[in-house]
Amino acid sequence: MAAQPRPIHAEQTSYLEGGGIYGWLTTIDHKRIAVLYGVTAVFFMALGGFEAMAVRTQLMYPNNHFLSAQTYNQFFTTHGLTMIFLVIMPLETGFFGNFLIPLQIGARDVAFPRLNALSYWIFLFGAITLNLGWLYGGLPNGGWFGYANLTERYYSPGPNIDFFDLGLLVLGVSSVMSALNFFVTIINMRAPGMTFFRMPLFIWSILVTVILILLAFPSLTVGLIFLFMDRYFDTHYYRVIAGATPILWQHLFWIFGHPEVYIMILPAFGLISEVIPVFSGKPLFGYPMMVYAIIAIAFLSYGVWGHHMFATGMGPVADMTFSVTSLLIAIPTGIKIFNWLFTVWGGRLRFTTAYLFALAFVIQFTIGGLSGMMHASPPIDLEQTDSYIIVAHFHYVLGLGALFAILAGFYFYWPKVTGRMLSETLGKWHFWLAVWSFNATFFPMHFLGELGMPRRIYTYAPHMGWDFWNKWETWNAYIIALSFIPLLLNIYWSLTNGERATEDPWDARTLEWSVPTPPPIYNFAEVPTVTARDAFWVAKYGSVEASGLTQSAPAIAPALVDVSKIHIPAPSLYPLLMGLGIFGMALGMLIGWYRVIFTAMALLVFSAIAMAFEYPNWGEENPHAVAESFLGLDSRKVGMWSFIGSETVFFACLISTYMVYKSRSLGVYDAGILNIPLTSFSTFVLLTSSLLMVLALAAFQRDDHKWGTIWLIGTALFGCIFLGGQVYEFGDFWLEHGMVFNANLFSQCFYTLVGFHGFHVFIGVVWLLVMAFAGIFGKLNAKRSLAVEICGLYWHFVDIVWVVIFVLVYLMRTVKGA
Amino acid sequence: MTMPFRLNRCRIATWSGLTLLLLSVVGCAPPPGTHYRLDTLSPRSALTQRFYDIFVEVTVIDIIVLIIVVAIFVLALMVFSTRTGEPTEFSWRTDVFLETAWIVIPMILVIAIAIPTVKTIIETQPYTWSPDTLEVRVIAHQWWWEFRYPSTGVVTADEVHIPVNRQINFAMVSRDVIHSFFMPALGGKRDVVPGQENHITLTANTPGEYWGQCTEFCGDSHANMRFRVFVDTPEQFDAWTKHQLSAPVHPTEGLAAEGAKIFADAPCAVCHTVRGISGLSPQYTYGFRGPDLTHFGSRGTIAGAIMDNTPENLALWIHNPDAVKPGANMPTLGLSGHDLNALVAYLESLK
């Protein structure tokens, strides 16, 4: 076909069109994946809302018998899990993140579109795993933070906690995958000229959020793996009788859990920072401070986990430290609130529904933040923790905060996503009902907390001063449910009769409004060049400060681009199959049917291999993409680096647990059993293998594929020798000394830590062998040295972890009595 | 920089209406002076008084900050906004003075909260005990509280007596999962963790009856794990101790005597101690232990302080413990009719 340049609009087809159901199942387009996340999350929101209504109905009267204690406990637990992991996170990062990141930074898709689809399918199956209790055995019932040792098999014999454990493990995999993907996308795929300080605030908030996800989720994963082992393999990670402490779970959980709070609120900040400037007709006030505030909040969020544990008796030093770090968060949060207020100040305000939700967010979030200042002070917290004032606090932050931000974003972006306008009248009905009902439900919970009502109680005695407010809150909670009816009507009306949306219905400021509505599959016919913050506004009106009433620059002239030349990656069924494989493994574990586990594992491996063959140009660096990228690095390399960052936290948690537990261990086995001469030898071998890896890469880079292959085989061989040493060591401990896996705290922590490292080495050896085979068949060359380099990054990381383990576990062993 | 100034009647009405609404909601807060069983606003010890004082300070700071934020919000919306159709007269993007102000002012507030907080933490932890301090061991079970007085040997459940104006050291451990010992008027709360001894040290200053409850989710009947604290005058406390140490009643005739026989024959005695009659080591009960019943009849409540101690309630409880307290470890013995009445009569006679 002759490459005759045509106007972009002639070729435009919306991303929503075509493909049918199979197209949606195999899609790897970020906008379609966003819609999948959105629809799934809305379904779970209805489910979580139903649970909330049941819980509120039970609490309507003292000594009520609407729900049994067991059902109530399942419902409040699942309500929390659902709203956090299946509603707020997938809506904020899954829906808004997926939809907006490429559009706002001027990219055609995320860095790894297939990985993106895989994240969604794993998320969906994780969500199903978490909710399997509806079908069999009962929903999770240990509270969303599932405190050990109540979650041990002895105290919770049913499958409830297994659904919790495996569901969250699977969801964690999905979250880390999409975080990695978004991180690389934002770092590497921004349009030319889109420097860090020209990025929209939403992109900043997502960037910081995904860093939090990468570095926080491994801690939860480790906690869940320990719980899994306690429940399935009879280890003692949270069992007092073996010298362990259930407080370990609280540390691992909250090191994840507090950053998790910001994972849920930072994207909300980002959405608000998009909506408020548009409808105030002014640029965001104090943009640099807003960015620094987000970074400061994220940084501090790692140092405050202990404020969830003031009542556990951590001692005065920990109490003071965590109290002060928690109070410090008030400063960057205050900066954000005042900057939003002063963005409104002096603006030309347009009170659309989206704007109203955003404004309500600012005040409601302030209330939630201020009550947070109370709990940051341990003397107050010792009266208030685990009471309804905490329930009020986090519902103000997440319900009246994050959810309101999501609704603001929903009304704002609906035209861009669907191509139709919503009814403002119905929207305002929704807004006023929501503002009334949410506040009327949750504000009096402060009073209940002051009157001492503990959270998570399914019943209470009359005459505690709680009767009136509980009844009041329940009636208002029903109004919350009703407040969503105008929204549903609005969606229905918009999809059937709604006015067609233009490209830029709100006179907005950022790049996503410059593309057709709904966007074509390739987003930008021509990748824009960015010269300033609020790039689209500048393109329309000439400068960021422009009033927006008179166009000082000509409207963007339609570019002449042949869109048929734009490379769109092909759809793939394998992400769905891999998701099914992971689901099958979790399911097999739950029903204890090992054949299911191995079949599912086979499906997973098959799909992974099949997907690998979908890349004809694997391992080849795209010089054009690298030159355009901000770091000058290939995206795959950045991806591996961020994966390594996440793995570091994973091993840090395992190593810390080992260090803490080895001194608490009871019984005969201790670090004295370790064979240092043997391990020194295998350490030497593993370190040497890193050297061979370097030689292999160097050989491939100078296109010497013979020696490259030889060095690769050498690296794999040395890895095998290391693994052989480990197998011998484990066998010696097990068979000669009788140190079984769960003999005592030392044995289980040692086997888990060293075993996980060994598993990483095993994966590395398999990877190296695949590479070596590619080398033997002549498929590796200088052009594909990137593949060797990424494999090498992983291999060096695994070696470095071993150096740390060797020093801390082997060389620094302290033997009791020695 | 000129400020566009505009007042719109409709908006004034809306926002003043909303402000009034907000004020009326705040006005619905529990009025001072009311006292409820678990309310956290009626401190009755030096410890909780300190908690309360910081609470009041932070509440005042919070309300002032909220008023400032709402005031700026309302002014920005009602007054200092530009009419639609007019160009914004200034496009104010940043202001060094203002932005410094809202870094410095929150910092001052944070310091104002941090100083009394840190001071209180240092002065209330770690605890200093004098020889005069009375130690009360609190042992949490799913779902009831056991109290032991090492100095006198008194053992009781769900109701703890302490003398007024004397330092009390509640030393707390859990037999099973994590619980939390919450007595708002006297000591706030502290988690009760298996394998770790936690303490609340306090000196109650007003005699009376106070309520407490478990506040860490601990399983099915988390809601049914309450207790009472009686702050006695020293004379009352001594009398109570003496009574608790006295030998239990031995009914020799009537319904109660039949009940005593049932108590000894039925599995009751496996888990429950009545001094001189039963009392096995917990190792024979798979780790379960029931409350000491030596002076059961003298207690005002049963089953984790969720019901008054009346014969009807007791019969209901023994007949089907799980219906009263879901998940209860006490088995359903199938007792009914005459046997049940006899057992109830016996237990109620254990004054």
Side-chain angles (χ1 to χ4, degrees):
Chain A
M1 197 172 86
Q4 194 64 33
R6 281 165 297 178
I8 48 167
H9 300 298
E11 194 67 17
Q12 161 198 337
T13 46
S14 145
Y15 76 98
L16 289 166
E17 286 163 29
I21 289 178
Y22 189 76
W24 281 90
L25 291 178
T26 58
T27 184
I28 55 169
D29 174 41
H30 71 100
K31 300 176 288 299
R32 283 195 169 196
I33 294 170
V35 172
L36 288 174
Y37 267 112
V39 171
T40 315
V42 166
F43 169 78
F44 282 110
M45 190 154 134
L47 203 60
F50 165 75
E51 286 151 3
M53 290 306 134
V55 159
R56 271 309 335 157
T57 308
Q58 164 67 13
L59 291 175
M60 198 163 181
Y61 300 105
N63 297 329
N64 198 358
H65 291 287
F66 177 69
L67 296 178
S68 70
Q70 286 84 354
T71 316
Y72 180 90
N73 295 341
Q74 293 177 21
F75 275 11
F76 85 70
T77 301
T78 316
H79 167 71
L81 290 168
T82 303
M83 289 304 185
I84 290 166
F85 292 103
L86 312 183
V87 176
I88 295 183
M89 279 183 69
L91 280 179
E92 289 184 342
T93 40
F95 174 68
F96 287 113
N98 254 313
F99 194 85
L100 291 178
I101 292 172
L103 286 172
Q104 284 199 329
I105 64 174
R108 293 229 160 90
D109 205 324
V110 294
F112 309 112
R114 286 179 184 79
L115 187 71
N116 200 16
L118 179 59
S119 300
Y120 169 72
W121 293 112
I122 295 179
F123 158 73
L124 177 67
F125 290 121
I128 292 173
T129 311
L130 202 59
N131 279 282
L132 277 177
W134 287 102
L135 302 176
Y136 160 76
L139 298 162
N141 59 355
W144 90 275
F145 39 79
Y147 273 2
N149 51 349
L150 180 63
T151 49
E152 288 284 323
R153 185 74 71 195
Y154 181 81
Y155 296 107
S156 301
N160 319 50
I161 300 295
D162 298 323
F163 298 140
F164 164 82
D165 193 10
L166 290 162
L168 287 192
L169 272 173
V170 175
L171 286 171
V173 172
S174 152
S175 297
V176 170
M177 276 181 182
S178 51
L180 183 147
N181 207 345
F182 292 170
F183 178 77
V184 178
T185 309
I186 296 174
I187 290 291
N188 233 21
M189 314 250 310
R190 280 166 288 147
M194 175 74 82
T195 59
F196 274 112
F197 271 69
R198 287 178 187 160
M199 295 196 315
L201 238 281
F202 179 74
I203 297 298
W204 262 112
S205 71
I206 287 284
L207 176 63
V208 174
T209 300
V210 296
I211 293 173
L212 288 178
I213 293 178
L214 283 173
L215 301 183
F217 264 80
S219 180
L220 174 69
T221 304
V222 168
L224 290 169
I225 287 173
F226 291 165
L227 178 63
F228 177 81
M229 290 196 200
D230 272 11
R231 289 181 66 86
Y232 281 93
F233 305 137
D234 206 20
T235 55
H236 319 287
Y237 278 103
Y238 306 122
R239 294 183 185 171
V240 177
I241 196 140
T245 168
I247 301 292
L248 173 72
W249 165 266
Q250 297 192 20
H251 283 293
L252 289 172
F253 186 85
W254 289 119
I255 288 174
F256 149 77
H258 204 82
E260 168 71 11
V261 172
Y262 291 99
I263 290 167
M264 286 188 281
I265 202 65
L266 289 183
F269 288 174
L271 286 170
I272 294 300
S273 306
E274 295 302 310
V275 173
I276 285 188
V278 167
F279 295 112
S280 303
K282 273 179 66 193
L284 189 70
F285 194 87
Y287 173 96
M289 290 308 289
M290 293 297 256
V291 172
Y292 295 138
I294 288 182
I295 295 171
I297 290 173
F299 182 75
L300 286 171
S301 76
Y302 280 98
V304 299
W305 81 88
H307 72 213
H308 297 269
M309 298 164 62
F310 285 143
T312 58
M314 293 184 296
V317 177
D319 279 9
M320 282 186 281
T321 314
F322 287 119
S323 168
V324 172
T325 51
S326 309
L327 283 170
L328 283 177
I329 291 190
I331 298 168
T333 314
I335 293 173
K336 298 204 77 75
I337 303 266
F338 285 110
N339 277 327
W340 285 321
L341 291 177
F342 276 78
T343 307
V344 176
W345 192 279
R348 203 175 64 246
L349 316 184
R350 285 176 291 157
F351 288 94
T352 58
T353 311
Y355 194 46
L356 290 175
F357 272 106
L359 292 174
F361 167 91
V362 174
I363 295 300
Q364 289 166 174
F365 183 78
T366 307
I367 297 176
L370 289 172
S371 62
M373 299 237 294
M374 287 186 180
H375 320 137
S377 171
I380 309 178
D381 191 63
L382 290 180
E383 289 283 13
Q384 296 184 341
T385 184
D386 280 317
S387 80
Y388 260 77
I389 199 163
I390 303 292
V391 181
H393 164 69
F394 64 69
H395 279 93
Y396 260 87
V397 174
L398 297 178
L400 291 91
L403 183 62
F404 268 60
I406 288 169
L407 289 170
F410 172 84
Y411 280 97
F412 189 52
Y413 284 111
W414 176 265
K416 185 54 72 183
V417 174
T418 62
R420 303 263 194 171
M421 300 301 284
L422 285 162
S423 153
E424 281 292 314
T425 317
L426 281 169
K428 277 170 188 159
W429 272 98
H430 176 208
F431 171 75
W432 288 110
L433 275 172
V435 161
W436 165 263
S437 58
F438 273 90
N439 281 289
T441 304
F442 293 108
F443 200 84
M445 286 188 184
H446 293 104
F447 308 151
L448 284 179
E450 290 310 322
L451 294 175
M453 182 166 169
R455 67 194 276 205
R456 301 174 160 186
I457 52 171
Y458 78 94
T459 188
Y460 54 92
H463 313 304
M464 308 286 284
W466 306 340
D467 304 10
F468 171 75
W469 286 122
N470 273 303
K471 206 189 291 175
W472 164 273
E473 283 165 7
T474 302
W475 282 113
N476 279 292
Y478 295 154
I479 304 181
I480 294 183
L482 288 181
S483 77
F484 284 93
I485 290 178
L487 177 68
L488 294 176
L489 287 177
N490 210 345
I491 289 174
Y492 177 75
W493 179 85
S494 168
L495 290 177
T496 52
N497 299 310
E499 189 192 329
R500 296 273 170 191
T502 58
E503 277 173 24
D504 182 21
W506 311 118
D507 196 13
R509 315 181 73 88
T510 36
L511 284 177
E512 71 272 27
W513 302 100
S514 69
V515 299
T517 292
I521 190 157
Y522 45 80
N523 293 353
F524 297 91
E526 189 179 26
V527 172
T529 301
V530 178
T531 53
R533 207 176 290 157
D534 289 353
F536 185 45
W537 187 265
V538 174
K540 283 190 293 187
Y541 299 113
S543 79
V544 181
E545 288 90 350
S547 68
L549 287 182
T550 47
Q551 290 208 345
S552 52
I556 319 162
L560 298 176
V561 178
D562 179 8
V563 292
S564 63
K565 283 267 169 69
I566 295 173
H567 169 69
I568 306 287
S572 173
L573 185 62
Y574 298 117
L576 171 58
L577 292 182
M578 285 175 80
L580 265 176
I582 288 180
F583 180 57
M585 282 161 68
L587 209 60
M589 208 61 225
L590 281 166
I591 59 180
W593 204 4
Y594 290 90
R595 239 176 276 174
V596 174
I597 301 179
F598 291 122
T599 314
M601 219 183 267
L603 177 66
L604 182 68
V605 172
F606 162 75
S607 326
I609 293 172
M611 197 157 87
F613 279 98
E614 288 187 340
Y615 296 86
N617 304 323
W618 61 272
E620 284 179 22
E621 214 163 71
N622 179 346
H624 183 60
V626 171
E628 274 184 358
S629 75
F630 256 75
L631 293 180
L633 287 173
D634 190 272
S635 289
R636 284 159 283 185
K637 225 190 283 180
V638 184
M640 181 46 76
W641 277 112
S642 40
F643 175 70
I644 287 173
S646 192
E647 287 274 272
T648 308
V649 179
F650 178 80
F651 277 107
C653 291
L654 285 179
I655 293 173
S656 322
T657 305
Y658 171 84
M659 300 300 276
V660 171
Y661 269 4
K662 85 173 172 180
S663 57
R664 298 180 72 112
S665 183
L666 308 172
V668 292
Y669 302 107
D670 58 29
I673 199 172
L674 300 176
N675 185 344
I676 290 183
L678 171 77
T679 321
S680 302
F681 171 70
S682 50
T683 306
F684 177 71
V685 170
L686 196 64
L687 288 182
T688 314
S689 78
S690 259
L691 180 67
L692 298 189
M693 190 72 228
V694 172
L695 290 174
L697 178 62
F700 279 115
Q701 274 171 345
R702 61 171 192 270
D703 215 0
D704 181 353
H705 96 265
K706 182 183 148 207
W707 277 102
T709 308
I710 290 173
W711 292 132
L712 272 182
I713 294 173
T715 315
L717 191 69
F718 276 37
C720 285
I721 294 173
F722 173 83
L723 282 179
Q726 205 161 65
V727 169
Y728 171 79
E729 185 190 29
F730 278 22
D732 183 49
F733 290 165
W734 200 310
L735 303 172
E736 291 298 314
H737 296 83
M739 187 171 87
V740 292
F741 179 55
N742 60 354
N744 65 357
L745 288 187
F746 167 76
S747 73
Q748 71 191 31
C749 293
F750 172 79
Y751 283 132
T752 307
L753 169 60
V754 178
F756 262 110
H757 178 266
F759 178 70
H760 279 73
V761 176
F762 174 74
I763 295 287
V765 167
V766 172
W767 192 348
L768 284 166
L769 289 176
V770 171
M771 286 288 149
F773 272 110
I776 290 169
F777 290 108
K779 301 277 185 198
L780 273 181
N781 47 37
K783 254 169 74 189
R784 284 180 169 159
S785 66
L786 179 71
V788 181
E789 196 177 345
I790 292 173
C791 177
L793 276 179
Y794 174 83
W795 188 256
H796 296 314
F797 166 71
V798 169
D799 289 2
I800 290 169
V801 170
W802 180 254
V803 173
V804 176
I805 293 176
F806 180 63
V807 172
L808 291 180
V809 174
Y810 288 86
L811 296 184
M812 288 173 60
R813 62 175 182 177
T814 41
V815 181
K816 264 181 265 174
Chain B
M1 187 168 71
T2 52
M3 295 274 183
F5 185 85
R6 183 174 59 112
L7 280 172
N8 173 318
R9 266 184 217 164
C10 170
R11 278 203 199 140
I12 294 177
T14 312
W15 291 108
S16 6
L18 279 179
T19 315
L20 276 179
L21 203 66
L22 186 74
L23 285 177
S24 60
V25 171
V26 176
C28 289
T34 47
H35 178 63
Y36 290 104
R37 280 179 183 175
L38 281 178
D39 91 54
T40 60
L41 306 174
S42 315
R44 294 290 185 272
S45 75
L47 183 70
T48 46
Q49 185 64 47
R50 305 193 62 150
F51 295 173
Y52 180 72
D53 291 344
I54 300 183
F55 168 71
V56 170
E57 187 209 310
V58 180
T59 307
V60 169
I61 291 178
D62 278 1
I63 289 174
I64 293 171
V65 173
L66 188 61
I67 288 173
I68 294 172
V69 169
V70 171
I72 297 176
F73 182 72
V74 170
L75 282 176
L77 290 186
M78 271 173 42
V79 184
F80 296 107
S81 58
T82 310
R83 215 183 287 272
T84 314
E86 280 174 10
T88 38
E89 294 190 24
F90 64 106
S91 203
W92 198 22
R93 288 172 71 184
T94 182
D95 186 305
V96 175
F97 172 75
L98 277 177
E99 289 185 60
T100 315
W102 56 66
I103 295 173
V104 172
I105 295 172
M107 217 177 262
I108 294 169
L109 296 181
V110 163
I111 293 169
I113 299 174
I115 287 173
T117 297
V118 169
K119 203 159 164 261
T120 307
I121 295 172
I122 291 173
E123 286 171 14
T124 55
Q125 302 179 40
Y127 321 93
T128 42
W129 297 304
S130 67
D132 187 43
T133 306
L134 177 69
E135 182 181 329
V136 180
R137 299 198 67 79
V138 179
I139 301 151
H141 302 258
Q142 277 180 327
W143 291 273
W144 60 282
W145 300 93
E146 182 176 352
F147 299 102
R148 290 171 171 262
Y149 296 71
S151 54
T152 54
V154 170
V155 181
T156 180
D158 296 336
E159 289 182 6
V160 59
H161 287 250
I162 56 171
V164 72
N165 292 331
R166 183 173 161 193
Q167 194 182 46
I168 313 295
N169 166 23
F170 285 102
M172 311 181 290
V173 290
S174 168
R175 290 275 306 174
D176 36 53
V177 300
I178 299 176
H179 302 272
S180 191
F181 191 66
F182 175 46
M183 31 179 191
L186 298 172
K189 65 175 69 93
R190 186 62 78 186
D191 287 356
V192 188
V193 182
Q196 173 183 332
E197 189 173 289
N198 278 349
H199 300 268
I200 294 180
T201 305
L202 61 93
T203 309
N205 59 24
T206 316
E209 175 194 335
Y210 301 95
W211 282 80
Q213 184 158 353
C214 174
T215 51
E216 187 61 84
F217 182 68
C218 55
D220 288 350
S221 266
H222 166 56
N224 296 324
M225 191 170 164
R226 306 170 198 161
F227 61 96
R228 288 193 294 171
V229 186
F230 292 89
V231 177
D232 296 340
T233 60
E235 301 76 45
Q236 285 173 329
F237 180 71
D238 290 340
W240 177 79
T241 306
K242 204 166 155 227
H243 177 253
Q244 292 295 308
L245 289 171
S246 63
V249 182
H250 250 297
T252 47
E253 54 188 25
L255 206 54
E258 278 181 56
K261 195 167 160 357
I262 294 168
F263 180 84
D265 291 347
C268 312
V270 176
C271 299
H272 291 285
T273 300
V274 173
R275 261 201 319 281
I277 294 176
S278 68
L280 278 172
S281 161
Q283 75 207 48
Y284 298 111
T285 62
Y286 307 100
F288 290 124
R289 190 160 75 205
D292 185 304
L293 300 178
T294 309
H295 293 284
F296 174 78
S298 69
R299 292 185 210 143
T301 55
I302 58 170
I306 58 173
M307 295 195 296
D308 287 338
N309 188 357
T310 64
E312 298 74 42
N313 283 341
L314 185 59
L316 206 64
W317 167 238
I318 297 174
H319 180 66
N320 188 353
D322 201 65
V324 175
K325 194 193 245 186
N329 287 322
M330 183 156 129
T332 304
L333 298 174
L335 286 175
S336 57
H338 181 74
D339 288 355
L340 184 59
N341 289 337
L343 186 59
V344 169
Y346 167 64
L347 290 172
E348 294 294 359
S349 75
L350 292 169
K351 292 290 182 194

